[in-house]
C-alpha cells in the first residue's frame, strides 16, 4: 500500500485546507493477512464498565479487539455518548447501549472528540439509530460529517482494503442534526451536569476534549496519546496531516488547567493521576519530536530512529498484539506526522538559515 501524507491533500492545490486525514494509520508497514486482520474476537460483547459517577465505558471492539477503542456514556436526563468508534464498531456499540437500557428515543447527544474514523466512523449509523440525538463536533470537522466523501476518499487511498476490513466507512449525518461546539461551550446533560468543550488541536485541527462537571473526568480523545492497558506504555499520537507540537503542548496545558479528576483516553480507559499523566505526555511528545528532528537533519529514516529509541519491551506481548499496536499507533504513522510538521512549520528552514548541518552532510 502506498499511503503517504501527501495523499491526504485535496487533489486540487487551491483547496484552502487539506483533508483531515483518516487517523493514526499509515499502512505499508503492517502485516495484514489476506481476508483481514486476525482479530482476537474471543466471543460475546464486552460488558460496559462504570468508571465514575454516571460515566460508563463501552468497549467498541475495533476489529474485534478488546481494550483498543472506547466510547463513553455520560448519564443523566439527557445522556450523551462520547465517541462512537468506527463504523465497524457500530454493532457492538448499539448492543452495549441496548444492554444499558438506552432506547432509540433516549440518547440526547453524540459527541466526537475528532473525526478520525476510529472515533467518528460510526456517527452516521448511531445518529440513525437515535433519531433525537444531536451530534456535537468541532467546527473544522462538521462539514466532513455532513459530507464524508472527501474524508472517505482520502482514507480509501491511505488504507486500501483495510478501510473496509477494519474500519468501515462513514455515513453522512443530516446537517440539521450537527451542532458545532466552540471552546468552553457546554452541553447540558441534566441539572448541574454538563460537558465543557475544550478546543484541543495538535493531534488534529478538529480535536475537542470534553470535561464532565460531575465526575470531573475529561474525555481526551487522542490529545494525550495512546496507552493501551495491555501495553502499559504511553505513546504520543502524531499522525499526518495536522500534527503540530506547539498546539499539542498548549492543549495538554489547557487540560491540566481544568484539573480533571481523571482522563479517559479513547485508546484506552481511565487514568487518575492526571497531573503526572499530562506531564508525561508533554515530555514524551517533546522527546519524540526531538528525535524526529535530529533524524531528519542527519538524513536518517525518522520511523527507524523513533523505533530504535522508543521500542519498549514487548516480549510479554503476543506478535498479534504488537501488530495491533502498530496498526493503531505505529511508528510509521507518527514519523510521517512529525516529518510533515517539521517540514511545514518552518523549523527546518530556520535550522538551515542558522547553518545547521544539512541532511547528508
Ligand atoms: Zn484514535
Amino acid at each position: 500500500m502506498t499511503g503517504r501524507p501527501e495523499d491526504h491533500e485535496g487533489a486540487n492545490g487551491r483547496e484552502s485546507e487539506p483533508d483531515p486525514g483518516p487517523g493514526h494509520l499509515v499502512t505499508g508497514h503492517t502485516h495484514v493477512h489476506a481476508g483481514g486482520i486476525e482479530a482476537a474476537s474471543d466471543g460475546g460483547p464486552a460488558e460496559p464498565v462504570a468508571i465514575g459517577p454516571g460515566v460508563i465505558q463501552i468497549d467498541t471492539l475495533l476489529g474485534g479487539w478488546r481494550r483498543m477503542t472506547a466510547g463513553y456514556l455520560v448519564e443523566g436526563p439527557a445522556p450523551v455518548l462520547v465517541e462512537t468508534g468506527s463504523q465497524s464498531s457500530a454493532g457492538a456499540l448499539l448492543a452495549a447501549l441496548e444492554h444499558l437500557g438506552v432506547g432509540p428515543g433516549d440518547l440526547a447527544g453524540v459527541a466526537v472528540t475528532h473525526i478520525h474514523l476510529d472515533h467518528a466512523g460510526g456517527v452516521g449509523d448511531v445518529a440513525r439509530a437515535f433519531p433525537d440525538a444531536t451530534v456535537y463536533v468541532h467546527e473544522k470537522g462538521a462539514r466532513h460529517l455532513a459530507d464524508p466523501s472527501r474524508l472517505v476518499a482520502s482514507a480509501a487511498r491511505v488504507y486500501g482494503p483495510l478501510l473496509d476490513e477494519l474500519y468501515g466507512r462513514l455515513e453522512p449525518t443530516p446537517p440539521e442534526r450537527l451542532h458545532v461546539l466552540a471552546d468552553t461551550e457546554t452541553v447540558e446533560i441534566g441539572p448541574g451536569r454538563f460537558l465543557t468543550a475544550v478546543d484541543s488541536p495538535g493531534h488534529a485541527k478538529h480535536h475537542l476534549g470534553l470535561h464532565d462537571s460531575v465526575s470531573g473526568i475529561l474525555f481526551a480523545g487522542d490529545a494525550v496519546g495512546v496507552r493501551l492497558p495491555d501495553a502499559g506504555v504511553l505513546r504520543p499520537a502524531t499522525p499526518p496531516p495536522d500534527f503540530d507540537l506547539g498546539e499539542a503542548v498548549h492543549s495538554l496545558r489547557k487540560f491540566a488547567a481544568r484539573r480533571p479528576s481523571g482522563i479517559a483516553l479513547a485508546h484506552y480507559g481511565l487514568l487518575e493521576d492526571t497531573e503526572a499523566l499530562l506531564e508525561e505526555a508533554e515530555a514524551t511528545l517533546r522527546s519524540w519530536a526531538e528525535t524526529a528532528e535530529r533524524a531528519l537533519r542527519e538524513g536518517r529514516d525518522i520511523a527507524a530512529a523513533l523505533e530504535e529509541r522508543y521500542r519498549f519491551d514487548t516480549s510479554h506481548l503476543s506478535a498479534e498484539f504488537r501488530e495491533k499496536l502498530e496498526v493503531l499507533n505505529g511508528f510509521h504513522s507518527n514519523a510521517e506526522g512529525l516529518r510533515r510538521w517539521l517540514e511545514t512549520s518552518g523549523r527546518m528552514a530556520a535550522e538551515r538559515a542558522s547553518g545547521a548541518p544539512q541532511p547528508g552532510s
Side-chain angles (χ1 to χ4, degrees):
M1 291 176 228
T2 57
R4 303 185 60 213
E6 286 78 6
D7 296 339
H8 297 238
E9 297 279 13
N12 181 338
R14 287 164 302 184
E15 293 281 3
S16 58
E17 204 188 317
D19 277 353
H24 300 286
L25 181 63
V26 171
T27 56
H29 304 279
T30 56
H31 308 285
V32 179
H33 307 285
I37 290 280
E38 310 248 289
S41 308
D42 48 8
E47 284 287 312
V49 180
I51 59 165
V55 182
I56 311 291
Q57 174 183 288
I58 298 169
D59 192 330
T60 53
L61 297 171
L62 177 70
W65 301 330
R66 292 185 187 276
R67 297 178 295 277
M68 299 288 273
T69 52
Y72 298 95
L73 180 68
V74 185
E75 296 181 313
V80 172
L81 174 73
V82 179
E83 317 277 42
T84 65
S86 66
Q87 187 182 36
S88 62
S89 291
L93 175 70
L94 295 176
L97 289 170
E98 190 182 347
H99 172 84
L100 290 165
V102 181
D106 295 338
L107 195 67
V110 178
V112 292
T113 59
H114 60 303
I115 61 165
H116 289 162
L117 292 181
D118 54 325
H119 298 257
V123 163
D125 297 66
V126 174
R128 196 180 318 115
F130 297 98
D132 298 333
T134 300
V135 175
Y136 297 98
V137 61
H138 192 284
E139 67 164 319
K140 293 195 168 101
R143 68 191 172 99
H144 296 287
L145 295 189
D147 174 10
S149 54
R150 279 183 68 200
L151 176 61
V152 171
S154 164
R157 282 195 300 276
V158 174
Y159 296 157
L162 198 58
L163 177 67
D164 291 318
E165 287 165 13
L166 181 58
Y167 289 91
R169 303 204 165 206
L170 170 60
E171 293 296 320
T173 300
E176 65 274 14
R177 295 191 53 190
L178 295 172
H179 180 116
V180 166
L181 284 177
D183 190 35
T184 72
E185 189 175 345
T186 55
V187 176
E188 195 172 331
I189 289 174
R193 181 165 220 166
F194 49 90
L195 292 174
T196 303
V198 187
D199 183 25
S200 42
H203 171 78
K205 289 189 175 109
H206 41 86
H207 196 290
L208 290 170
L210 294 151
H211 191 195
D212 175 25
S213 63
V214 166
S215 67
I217 293 172
L218 194 152
F219 303 99
D222 287 346
V224 175
V226 168
R227 186 187 182 284
L228 301 179
D230 297 303
V233 175
L234 181 72
R235 271 195 193 174
T238 65
D242 288 353
F243 173 71
D244 183 285
L245 178 67
E247 288 187 337
V249 166
H250 183 67
S251 295
L252 291 173
R253 292 183 180 179
K254 283 175 80 173
F255 287 176
R258 300 193 65 86
R259 302 197 168 278
S261 67
I263 287 185
L265 305 180
H267 320 287
Y268 176 104
L270 179 69
L271 294 163
E272 289 180 308
D273 191 352
T274 61
E275 213 178 307
L277 173 69
L278 292 168
E279 281 172 12
E280 182 186 355
E282 180 174 336
T284 308
L285 263 178
R286 290 189 184 285
S287 174
W288 281 55
E290 277 165 28
T291 301
E293 189 167 350
R294 192 176 319 118
L296 190 61
R297 261 194 274 117
E298 292 170 355
R300 295 184 59 214
D301 181 66
I302 296 174
L306 292 173
E307 194 161 358
E308 187 181 298
R309 183 155 177 203
Y310 301 108
R311 183 175 24 207
F312 56 91
D313 180 11
T314 52
S315 51
H316 63 296
L317 301 169
S318 66
E320 182 194 42
F321 184 85
R322 291 196 293 267
E323 181 181 313
K324 287 181 217 170
L325 187 61
E326 184 61 26
V327 169
L328 189 74
N329 180 237
F331 287 110
H332 291 89
S333 168
N334 280 342
E336 285 304 309
L338 287 162
R339 184 184 62 75
R340 187 184 168 99
W341 164 67
L342 287 163
E343 289 179 349
T344 57
S345 65
R347 286 178 73 91
M348 298 312 286
E351 292 277 351
R352 281 192 284 278
S354 70
Q358 295 296 299
S361 65

